[in-house]
Amino acid sequence: MKDKLDELRSKAISELDSIDAPSDLDSWRVRYLGRKSALTQVLRGLATLPLEEKRSVGAAANELRAFLEKSLALKEESVRESEVARSIERGRLDVTLPGRPPALGRLHPATQMLRHICDIFLSMGFEVVEGPDVEWEYYNFDALNIPPDHPARDMWDTLWIDFETEDGQRPMLLRTHTSPMQIRVMESRLPPVRVIVPGKVYRYEATDATHEAIFYQIEGFAVDRNITLADLKGTLFEFAKQLFGEERKVRFRCDYFPFVEPGVEMAIDCFACNGAGCSLCSGSGWIEILGAGMVHPDVLRRVNYDPEVYTGFAFGLGVERMSMLKYGIEDIRLFYSNDLRFLRQF
Ligand code: YSA
């Protein structure tokens, strides 16, 4: 058996030496190391040999297998190298050509706008805080002066989570706005606070050109001694100028949100027609950009801030809507339909 293995070794090696094409290497591997090769047959037959012979033949056959595998690997490497050398000689492979540039991704337009807005508020001394997307009903509604059965709940089409407490309540939902973070932040620290909260919000609503079911909001609020509506106006005016241009005018009008008193909506003069009236601003000359107001005293009391000592302002804006206004995007659904022709423009 030993002689047979020696013979196999010299035959295999001499054949391997003469190979110079990659395709011949594969048939060599099948012939000498494959399932039906003589060496595999010897290894399979070991079980039938007497113990002493099994040991010596087994060791020799395994050593031969390892030797042939290693020889094959070395040969593969040298064949590959000579292939490359031949290609260079024939001029098919030009190693001096620059490599292919890797395809680089880019930030999504909503992320770009989110970061841009955060940078503006960071430059005014605000701090960025994030909160949970799955929220308790208490923070999303009750703590913001919106108890169960209050008609204001209808302002936010809510996706409830299938989670029931022992007393049959279903108090968990996908947050419908970033405002619950006002409560969470104020509960955990004392004034002064000056915070912005970027994040996704979720609404049970049909999509159209200006509505998505999942979109980004940025909440902002500041609470301290002597904060007035003038601080709110000044801060948001500065924000609008930085985002939409120095020459922008702003307009504040009364609006209703249960967690502010007074509540306002803020609009900027239409940059497409400079206030003359066009299709972008529906002929009004103004474009509404966010909701805001002075934090309601009951909200302050709920987090143990004394409304006789502290006052604050808050606002909330839609991030995709800001992009739509700034870049003239006509349909919000473009943001999440993964059309690269749209995404590559940003
Ligand atoms: C109001 C007062 C405050 O003191 C603080 C915050 C707020 C905002 C309030 N939490 C809120 O969510 N108001 S909102 O329902 O009117 O939404 C705020 C902004 O989100 C809108 O102005 C709009 O820009 C955007 N938005 C609302 N629904 C949307 C949407 N964007 C895309 N798709 C939707 N379905």
Side-chain angles (χ1 to χ4, degrees), residues 19 37 54 71 84 108 118 154 185 190 194 210 259 269 298 337:
I19 289 177
S37 66
K54 192 194 287 184
S71 306
V84 173
H108 189 276
C118 285
D154 297 344
V185 170
L190 293 171
R194 214 184 306 169
T210 51
F259 37 95
D269 63 328
D298 285 348
S337 52

Side-chain angles (χ1 to χ4, degrees), residues 24-65:
D24 293 341
L25 282 175
D26 204 44
S27 39
W28 183 92
R29 189 188 52 75
V30 172
R31 211 158 41 251
Y32 289 102
L33 292 166
R35 274 188 297 129
K36 292 184 184 154
S37 66
L39 181 56
T40 305
Q41 301 306 322
V42 171
L43 286 163
R44 282 211 187 114
L46 284 178
T48 60
L49 296 178
L51 186 60
E52 215 30 55
E53 207 176 335
K54 192 194 287 184
R55 274 208 192 112
S56 65
V57 174
N62 277 318
E63 185 275 326
L64 178 57
R65 185 176 184 88

Side-chain angles (χ1 to χ4, degrees), residues 133-324:
D133 290 25
V134 179
E135 188 51 283
W136 296 106
E137 176 185 23
Y138 172 75
Y139 288 106
N140 198 83
F141 290 129
D142 303 59
L144 292 166
N145 289 344
I146 319 171
D149 304 325
H150 190 290
R153 284 213 182 185
D154 297 344
M155 290 163 73
W156 292 278
D157 307 287
T158 310
L159 289 155
W160 294 92
I161 302 283
D162 195 9
F163 164 80
E164 213 170 285
T165 55
E166 276 172 12
D167 53 357
Q169 304 291 312
R170 295 178 63 207
M172 247 190 193
L173 46 85
L174 292 178
R175 66 176 173 192
T176 55
H177 51 174
T178 40
S179 301
M181 278 306 287
Q182 290 188 29
I183 307 297
R184 284 182 177 274
V185 170
M186 290 192 286
E187 267 182 355
S188 65
R189 52 173 99 168
L190 293 171
V193 289
R194 214 184 306 169
V195 165
I196 51 167
V197 186
K200 266 194 190 139
V201 301
Y202 306 80
R203 296 195 185 174
Y204 181 60
E205 68 181 301
T207 61
D208 62 24
T210 51
H211 293 84
E212 266 292 353
I214 302 176
F215 58 99
Y216 282 98
Q217 281 192 343
I218 293 183
E219 188 84 7
F221 59 101
V223 182
D224 200 351
R225 290 170 197 267
N226 304 321
I227 291 214
T228 67
L229 193 67
D231 296 304
L232 167 71
K233 290 172 80 173
T235 306
L236 293 181
F237 187 28
E238 177 60 26
F239 159 69
K241 279 199 302 187
Q242 287 201 35
L243 187 61
F244 293 110
E246 273 298 318
E247 64 287 0
R248 288 284 60 84
K249 297 192 191 88
V250 296
R251 182 188 72 181
F252 289 91
R253 290 203 305 191
C254 287
D255 199 350
Y256 171 70
F257 298 98
F259 37 95
V260 284
E261 183 55 46
V264 294
E265 59 144 67
M266 175 180 163
I268 53 173
D269 63 328
C270 178
F271 41 79
C273 62
N274 276 326
C278 67
S279 59
L280 182 67
C281 58
S282 313
S284 71
W286 294 97
I287 300 174
E288 185 194 323
I289 63 166
L290 53 82
M294 298 301 291
V295 181
H296 197 289
D298 285 348
V299 172
L300 293 175
R301 258 182 229 111
R302 207 163 280 126
V303 295
N304 294 323
Y305 284 10
D306 183 350
E308 298 301 324
V309 179
Y310 296 108
T311 49
F313 67 74
F315 57 88
L317 55 88
V319 175
E320 292 83 354
R321 294 261 186 99
M322 293 292 155
S323 270
M324 292 172 78

